[in-house]
Structure formats: structure tokens, C-alpha cells
Amino acid sequence: MKIDLPKKSDINEWYNQIVEVSGLCDKRYPIQGFNVWTPYGLRVMRNIDGFTREEMEKTGHQEVSFPLLIPESLFAKEAEHIKGFGGEVYWVTHAGEKELDEKLLLRPTSETAMYPMFSLWIRSHADLPLKTFQIVDVFRYETKQTRAFIRIRQIHFFEAHTCHADFEDAEKQIREDIEIAKRIFRKLALPCLINKRPDWDKFAGAHYSIGFDALMPSGRTLQLGSVHQYKTNFSEPYNIKYEAPDGSHKYVHQTTYGMSERLLGAIVLMHGDDSGLILPPEVAPIQIVIVPIIFKGKEKEVMDACQKILKSLKSRFRVHLDDREITPGSKYYDWELKGVPLRIEVGPKDVEKDEMIIVRRDEGKRKSVQIGDINSVSSELQAVDESLYKKAEDVLNNGVRDFKNIDEARIDSGFSGVIRMPWCGSESCGHQAEELLDMSTLGSPIDGGNEAGIEERCAICGGTAKEIIVMARTY
Amino acid sequence: MKIDLPKKSDINEWYNQIVEVSGLCDKRYPIQGFNVWTPYGLRVMRNIDGFTREEMEKTGHQEVSFPLLIPESLFAKEAEHIKGFGGEVYWVTHAGEKELDEKLLLRPTSETAMYPMFSLWIRSHADLPLKTFQIVDVFRYETKQTRAFIRIRQIHFFEAHTCHADFEDAEKQIREDIEIAKRIFRKLALPCLINKRPDWDKFAGAHYSIGFDALMPSGRTLQLGSVHQYKTNFSEPYNIKYEAPDGSHKYVHQTTYGMSERLLGAIVLMHGDDSGLILPPEVAPIQIVIVPIIFKGKEKEVMDACQKILKSLKSRFRVHLDDREITPGSKYYDWELKGVPLRIEVGPKDVEKDEMIIVRRDEGKRKSVQIGDINSVSSELQAVDESLYKKAEDVLNNGVRDFKNIDEARIDSGFSGVIRMPWCGSESCGHQAEELLDMSTLGSPIDGGNEAGIEERCAICGGTAKEIIVMARTY
């Protein structure tokens, strides 16, 4: 298969093609929104999961795995939550020939599976904080158009769930989560905005929600993950209490932190080009591919040199020697499509000079270095990473515009990106802006930017501005 | 929680208690047969999965991940398969408020999800062999009594699926699978019998099935895994064909190889004792625990020595320093329960002599060695592994008896283990023996043992014996 569309001409169609031709997934499974993870895609996802596990371990979270199925009665305990998810759950009603006494649902997220157990696990303040996470599949019956990794019905999902003695300790957790997320997104070369979602778009059951929004080259934002403060909204209906040092019994304060295979979708959308994927070195299953340029009579010298290079690199990098009997050009094509960050070419003339050529996937730059010069390989890999991050930062920096009032924003209707305006904070102004601009509200920036608006007037109603409203078209 | 039963008095009840008190799982989830993986159990299972992935990579299998849900029409394509599994599948009939056009089932195993895709993936002989595997959860509505890890309804599952040009290449795969299985089971210190299952007990849809049967101290066997030759039984209904070099189109020959969380159940049943789990060093999340024996005034010296030991060991072993403020005795109790293979004790007197005491979990033997003597630590760990394997071999060797005729076997009714008898090979004799002995047929040994019976008479009907029948009570 080939990609037959430049990225710029139709990024969404380009995306739909690239995810399959590069070997990330197969969308031909006969249930809509249920895709097959093919080996290459699964390896990328496992690397991403690896970063997550590493961060979870460093921050004292323990991995658990809860059942997929949830009894209807448990699910229904928190009213907002069932309102938010009830319309999109898959229901198991029968087992074998038998109709079940109680309907079971496939988890759309795991609060209602976990919290009855947390209520058994937590007894005293000594059990707190409880910091857990799991990496499992969740299921949501999306009614909108599906898109690989970004909007699907079986979702590879990460969810951290924590319980704390009080609100402030839960807030501390949220600050930790934000730092964790930043470190993970840096490895994926994905800078993002961090916004506190407006009340009308918070997670079902949350006290407040924070979203990580990356701006894609299409001008739309993609939510990379989210963190939620639940306060005691779930611990009350699920009865998760602890005995405080003074003997009193209190409800725990809870937080969650979620991410999904969307991260992989974001990498594809952000970094890919007309030749295929470009994978940041940290997530690439193959970081370096070695391609021998064979001419008759010089096969042995070239292959020996390639083997030597392979040997010198493989303890430090994920490296692959492509010894297939096809032309070097075909190999370039394949590995460019798969986004391998560095290619090393070795021909007879290079061998004579004891050299190899390093080619960067992102910029196509070629560089001759001594065979065995591992430091150059390492710094070229790092250069790919930094350049990808820099480009993504440019997309973000060039894609955010500030407006003083909504008319200015409407006039600039050719603009596709993130819009920021001073805001009185009212829901009605938010909805009005959404309608006038045909955008969604991402919320208000959590890390600065609010103060700037305080002296100004709300861009919509002209009342006193209290914060910045951040808006965009979203995936 | 404490265990209040010696293993010998009631091994099944002992098992039911130990899996929870040692922290492997929590069985209080409110759907029968659906347990929660608690952190410690999940870590053990991940180590086992790690061995499997390592073996799969070494043998050129690629990891994939297929959707959980299967449309009813796909599932129904192979008649024997649906007969075998149809009675125990969970059915998804609704999504949100909507009744689905076609019912979907939760995979009980993935043939019917994978093979329609294999039919798209395989075009020519150059695509063969196709060697894939996945580690996912499968769902079976067990009607028998459930038991943690051994008989549950949501099952952590490994399944390898391969496609081959011809029967002989598929047979070669089965021989490879057997070697893989032996290497994995050795790491778990689980010797086993390898039996070709009788026709009436083969996998639904298989041409033949091979089972790996470990004999537990209870006298019952537990199937650790199985390998199946499908021939073209699935490739025909699912239309998986390839173009041969001569231009003809042929159906592929297929095999599968399955294992599950039962492996963890087998480790618990086989190696545990009255004090708790005993984990083979290869699977133990913590291989060595360091316990400081603190006396007033000597805290610093002891803790410094422990830190030094920790530092010297942690690059080679999974080691944990237990610095909780509880008595050493309580720590011994906890870590014995969790089956940590080696404990290192360090008290003030040891520090004076620059020594530490190594205590083996399996035999309780104590040994003083120099602090920093990593080789002794390593050889003690190996000794635990070898001793566990040896004990399990003894259970197996002492638990298999040969009988010439079924009456002898019936008279020896106090015997609880594996029975082997010469057999004419007929299904009727098999069923008769099952009834008379109240046992199941495991099949015939694949690795020798058959020849012995050929000269003799069938133990049941007295006809000419063709093979050995192996029988046992099973989990």
C-alpha cells in the first residue's frame, strides 16, 4: 500500500491512510471502531506504556487490574457519572443460553468497579494515600465518526486512581500528575496547553477537571489526557471512609488521571509527513536502521561493516539491520514510512574510508561519520528529538491568538487554532462564544495567563473579566 | 489476615485462603469468578508473561492485539468450535439504549476474531509461516465452582496462532511449542507430563490437542497449557489461502498454543507451605528481602550495613530492604507469607563480623556469609530454585502408577495420582475406565512410554493394546 495524499492537502484523510500503511493498525475488523493492533503499532504503544509505568513506579503508584464487567447496580450509584456514561456503555445481558439476573456493562472507565473495593481496602489514615493505576481496555459506544487511536470504541487506556485524607493532599496529587504528564509528553515530543475545563465540560462526577490539549497541524486540539479532582463525590456514594487519628470517620478525597492510545494518534498527526510517520526516538520500536548498499563483488566487506556497526550500537539503541534482498531505495521507502528516526547507509566507498552515512528521518540531512562513532549517532538521535519538539512548539506558539473581543475573533475567521479571550466566567458567555465561533471551550489556563485578563472586559458580554477563556475546534 | 489451615489438612481450602492473604488477588469483587489482581499478584503474573514474551521473540512470533468483541456470524463459521464454546460465552446485546443489529460476544478464545483478518493478511507462500501471539483477557461463563487463577470467568490468557504452508511445517511448530513450554515451566519449577488428548477431549475444532499436565500435591492434575494442530479445520471456513510457488491456491495449516493465569495457580498449589507462598526465584517480584535486626544504640551500624548490602545486590537481583518500624518477627511472617525465596538478616553481631545471615524460604536453612559475598547469595537462590523443582519432580514421580488391568487400579483406590494402563485406543474403553475410576483421560504420553504397552493387552477390554492411557482426577 502507498499513501497517495500529501499531509497538507487533507490531513485527516492522510491520517486515515498513514495509520494503516505504516503498520500501526488494521481497520478492517468487522465491527466499527474496533481495530486490530498490528505488531508495529503495538510496539510503539508498549513503549509509551513503559514510560507511564516508569513514572507510576517513581511516584509510588501500584499497578492493579480490575475486572472488565460491572454490575448495573454498582454503576448506578453516582448519579452524575451514570448520566455522563450511561448512553455509551455496552451491555452484557446473556451468558450461554441464560439471561443474567443482573445486567453487566463493559467498563467505560473504572471508578464504579474500583471504588466498592477501595471501600474494603481502606480502613485507617495509615492506608492513605492509596495510589493505584491500571492499563486496560475500556469500551465506549461512540456515536460520532470513529478515527483510529483518536475516537474508537475499544480504547487502550491508562487510569490512575488515588485516595487521600483531605482535599489538600488530593490537590498535591493533581500537581504531581501534571508534572508526570509533562515528562511523558516531552518524551513524545508533544508540548501542550493545560486548561481547567469549564464546569459544563468536566468529567462526569468530578469536582473539576484539567485537560492537556495539544494543538495539531490541522488547527484542531487533541486532548492528550486529563486529571480530575473528585473531592468526596464518589467516596460518599461508594462509602470509602477512613478512621482519622482522632477516631472520627471521614470520607476520602479522590483524584484520577487518564490517558489513552490517543497519545499514539497525536504522535502520528503531529510529527508525520508526506513520506510517512516520524517517531520521536524515545517511542520508536526501531531507532536506527542500517541499510547496506551492496554492489557486486563488495558484498562481504559491506555486510561485515554493517554487522560491526550493529554490534557496536545494539547495547545502547534499538537498532535493526535490514538485510533483505531488495533495493536500498525500497528499504528507504519502507523505513521512512515507519518513521525510523535515523538511517545508517553503508556502501563500498564508505567502507574503504571506514565511514558510514547517518541520515535523519525528519530533515533528510546526511552526515558522514567514522564507523564506531557512537557519540555522533547518539547526538543525531537527540537532534531528531529536539527538532521534533521544537517544530511542535512552533505549531503551538503560532497557533494561539489573543483577542480582546469576540467580533475581532469572528472577523479573523480564516484562523484555525486556539483562541484566548478575557472572560467573565459565565456559562452563558461561554456557550455564546462556542456558537459564534463554532468552537469548543477548553477552559482556562492553569499555568499563568489568567492575570492578564483580569483588568479587561469579558470579550463576549463586556462585563468584568475574571479569567481567560481558551477555545478551539477539537478532535 | 492469617491462614488458619495447614496445607495438608485441606489443600483446596488452604489454597483459597493463601491466594488472598498473600496478596495475589482479591476475590470480593461482586461478580462470581471475576477477581481483582492486587499489586503483588499482578507483578508475579507480569514476570511469567515476561518469560512468554521472551520466548515468543526468540522464536520469531510477533505480538498483536485483537478486539475483545466478536460478531455472532463470524463466531458461528466453524461448527465444532461453536458447539464447544457456544454454551459459555457472554453476549453483548445492547449499546447505550440501542439494541445491536447483530449480537456480539466476549472472546472465549480468539480464533474467530483473528482468522477473518488472517485471510486478508496472507496472500502468498512468502507470507508464511505467520507466527503471532497475544496476551489478553478471555471470558468463559464457567458453570462449575470457580477457583482463583484456576477456574475463573475472566481469564488472563496467552494465545499463539500460527499459519503454515503444509501439515509438516505446522507439526514442526508444535514441536517448537513443546520446547518453549518446557523452558517456561522449568522457570516456574513445574515439571509436567505431556499427553496427546483423546479425540473426545480435544479442543473444539482441532485435529488433535496436546496438554501439559502438572501433578499437584493434592493428587489432581492441573493443565498448564495446551497446543493444538488445526490442520485446515479453520482455514477452510475462514478462507485463509495462499498462492503456492506453482501458482495454485492452498489452505494454510494452523496451530495454536495457549496458557493462562493457571500457571500462577499451579505455582501456589505446588510450592506453597503452611507459612504461605514459596515463589521460584525467577518469578518472585522480590527475590531477596533484607531485614535489619535493630537494637538500641546500634541502629546506624546495622542500617548502614543493610544499605550497603542493598546497593551491592540491586543490580543483579530484585531486592527489598524492609525498614518498617515493626519487629523482625513480623517482617519474617509477612515475607514468608509472600514467598520471598531468600531473606537476609543483619544484626549488630553480624555487622561486627562483617557478616550477614542468609535464610532460605523453602527449607528455612540459615547460613552466615561475608557481607558483599554476592556469589553465595546467587548460589543460594539457585539452590532454592533447584530444590523446588526437585520436590515437584518427586511429587510427579511418586504420583504416577502403572497398572496392567483396571481391577488392580480399582483395588488400589486409596491412590490419588496419575494412572497409566495399556489401552486398545477405543473411546468406549476410555469412557468405561473414566467411570470405573472416577477419573478423566489425559490421553497418551507423547514423549515415550507408548512402546511399553504395545505388547500387552488393553487393561479394560483385554484386546490388543496400542498405546498407554493416562488418567487422573483433574482441576
Side-chain angles (χ1 to χ4, degrees), chain B residues 308-375:
Chain B
K308 190 177 150 194
I309 296 166
L310 175 66
K311 211 176 147 191
S312 72
L313 296 179
K314 75 178 173 188
S315 68
R316 279 183 59 186
F317 307 102
R318 295 185 288 270
V319 54
H320 174 70
L321 168 56
D322 185 352
D323 57 4
R324 291 178 295 168
E325 293 188 353
I326 56 174
T327 65
S330 306
K331 295 181 185 180
Y332 299 169
Y333 179 87
D334 287 352
W335 299 114
E336 284 173 6
L337 190 56
K338 286 190 175 295
V340 173
L342 285 191
R343 178 172 81 223
I344 292 178
E345 302 172 6
V346 185
K349 284 191 182 159
D350 305 306
V351 175
E352 277 169 24
K353 290 184 281 181
D354 197 36
E355 284 182 355
M356 58 187 181
I357 295 167
I358 304 178
V359 188
R360 274 172 59 174
R361 169 65 181 87
D362 60 331
E363 298 180 340
K365 277 185 197 154
R366 305 166 64 83
K367 192 174 173 178
S368 263
V369 306
Q370 287 296 109
I371 284 178
D373 180 356
I374 299 180
N375 287 342

Side-chain angles (χ1 to χ4, degrees), chain A residues 11 120 170:
Chain A
I11 187 170
L120 300 170

Side-chain angles (χ1 to χ4, degrees), chain A residues 343-346 350 355-359 366-369:
Chain A
R343 178 172 83 223
I344 291 178
E345 302 172 6
V346 185
D350 305 307
E355 285 182 354
M356 58 188 182
I357 295 166
I358 304 179
V359 188
R366 304 165 64 82
K367 191 175 176 180
S368 263
V369 307

Side-chain angles (χ1 to χ4, degrees), chain A residues 26-31 34-40 42-43 46 53 62-71 74 86-98 100 104 106-107 112-114 116-117 120-121 133 135 137 139 141 154, chain B residues 26-31 34-40 42-43 46 53 62-71 74 86-98 100 104 106-107 112-114 116-117 120-121 133 135 137 139 141 154:
Chain A
D26 192 323
K27 292 182 284 184
R28 293 173 293 176
Y29 193 77
I31 311 179
F34 286 73
N35 298 335
V36 177
W37 286 93
T38 42
Y40 195 65
L42 193 57
R43 286 168 73 192
R46 287 202 174 283
R53 286 205 168 89
Q62 291 207 291
E63 187 166 3
V64 293
S65 185
F66 274 72
L68 166 73
L69 299 177
I70 302 170
L74 274 193
E88 56 182 54
V89 298
Y90 288 92
W91 289 103
V92 174
T93 57
H94 291 74
E97 305 293 308
K98 186 174 161 283
L100 296 171
L104 307 171
L106 308 193
R107 60 179 163 230
T112 62
M114 289 178 157
M117 302 303 290
L120 300 170
W121 293 355
F133 76 100
I135 297 179
D137 285 353
F139 297 80
Y141 184 66
Q154 174 166 352
Chain B
D26 192 323
K27 294 182 282 184
R28 291 172 295 176
Y29 193 76
I31 311 179
F34 286 71
N35 298 335
V36 177
W37 285 93
T38 42
Y40 194 65
L42 194 56
R43 285 169 73 190
R46 285 202 174 280
R53 286 206 169 91
Q62 291 206 290
E63 187 164 4
V64 293
S65 186
F66 275 72
L68 167 73
L69 298 178
I70 302 171
L74 274 193
E88 56 183 53
V89 298
Y90 288 91
W91 290 103
V92 174
T93 58
H94 291 73
E97 305 294 308
K98 185 176 161 282
L100 297 172
L104 306 171
L106 308 193
R107 62 180 161 229
T112 63
M114 288 178 159
M117 301 303 290
L120 300 170
W121 292 355
F133 77 100
I135 298 179
D137 284 354
F139 297 81
Y141 184 65
Q154 172 165 355

Side-chain angles (χ1 to χ4, degrees), chain A residues 71-323:
Chain A
E72 183 177 23
S73 56
L74 274 193
F75 183 63
K77 280 197 174 180
E78 205 291 315
E80 289 299 318
H81 192 69
I82 190 167
K83 214 162 50 176
F85 283 104
E88 56 182 54
V89 298
Y90 288 92
W91 289 103
V92 174
T93 57
H94 291 74
E97 305 293 308
K98 186 174 161 283
E99 182 166 357
L100 296 171
D101 294 335
E102 181 176 15
K103 286 198 292 181
L104 307 171
L105 59 101
L106 308 193
R107 60 179 163 230
T109 169
S110 298
E111 283 75 2
T112 62
M114 289 178 157
Y115 298 171
M117 302 303 290
F118 285 6
S119 147
L120 300 170
W121 293 355
I122 294 169
R123 286 280 155 267
S124 100
H125 61 95
D127 299 323
L128 297 176
L130 178 73
K131 298 169 77 166
T132 66
F133 76 100
Q134 63 180 13
I135 297 179
V136 296
D137 285 353
V138 297
F139 297 80
R140 296 180 187 172
Y141 184 66
E142 281 288 350
T143 49
K144 294 188 201 162
Q145 205 195 338
T146 58
R147 189 187 303 279
F149 307 123
I150 290 177
R151 189 175 295 282
I152 58 275
R153 293 178 177 177
Q154 174 166 352
I155 308 161
H156 181 78
F157 194 59
F158 155 81
E159 49 183 329
H161 293 256
T162 66
C163 299
H164 305 268
D166 53 34
F167 183 73
E168 181 42 39
D169 200 58
E171 289 290 285
K172 213 175 97 194
Q173 181 60 50
I174 284 173
R175 292 192 291 271
E176 180 178 84
D177 291 342
I178 290 171
E179 294 309 310
I180 291 171
K182 282 184 187 167
R183 288 193 293 264
I184 293 173
F185 301 156
R186 177 59 192 86
K187 290 193 170 172
L188 315 186
L190 293 172
C192 67
L193 302 172
I194 309 180
N195 295 305
K196 185 169 172 183
R197 295 275 180 263
D199 263 359
W200 64 88
D201 195 32
K202 63 189 185 186
F203 182 83
H207 174 58
Y208 70 77
S209 293
I210 287 170
F212 304 101
D213 300 303
L215 179 62
M216 296 294 118
S218 63
R220 287 180 188 265
T221 59
L222 182 63
Q223 178 176 302
L224 300 179
S226 52
V227 176
H228 311 284
Q229 166 66 269
Y230 288 169
K231 263 181 118 170
T232 59
N233 293 358
F234 285 89
S235 62
E236 290 182 33
Y238 288 93
N239 198 34
I240 315 174
K241 280 186 191 173
Y242 70 98
E243 188 175 323
D246 67 5
S248 66
H249 288 80
K250 294 181 178 168
Y251 289 112
V252 300
H253 285 67
Q254 293 180 276
T255 81
T256 58
Y257 168 19
M259 299 188 295
S260 79
E261 58 182 271
R262 274 196 159 197
L263 293 174
L264 175 49
I267 289 170
V268 176
L269 266 177
M270 178 63 84
H271 304 303
D273 68 11
D274 295 350
S275 304
L277 306 177
I278 302 181
L279 296 178
E282 292 264 16
V283 306
I286 298 173
Q287 297 173 310
I288 304 159
V289 62
I290 305 170
V291 178
I293 320 285
I294 304 261
F295 290 97
K296 276 249 157 27
K298 293 284 188 185
E299 291 92 340
K300 195 177 172 319
E301 288 85 341
V302 170
M303 284 310 296
D304 284 354
C306 288
Q307 288 290 356
K308 191 177 148 195
I309 296 166
L310 175 67
K311 211 175 146 191
S312 71
L313 297 179
K314 73 180 176 190
S315 68
R316 278 185 59 186
F317 307 103
R318 295 185 289 271
V319 53
H320 174 70
L321 167 57
D322 185 352
D323 58 3

Side-chain angles (χ1 to χ4, degrees), chain B residues 35-61:
Chain B
N35 298 335
V36 177
W37 285 93
T38 42
Y40 194 65
L42 194 56
R43 285 169 73 190
V44 180
M45 195 65 229
R46 285 202 174 280
N47 287 342
I48 299 172
D49 290 343
F51 305 149
T52 307
R53 286 206 169 91
E54 211 175 275
E55 287 289 341
M56 288 291 107
E57 191 170 339
K58 269 201 320 215
T59 52
H61 289 74

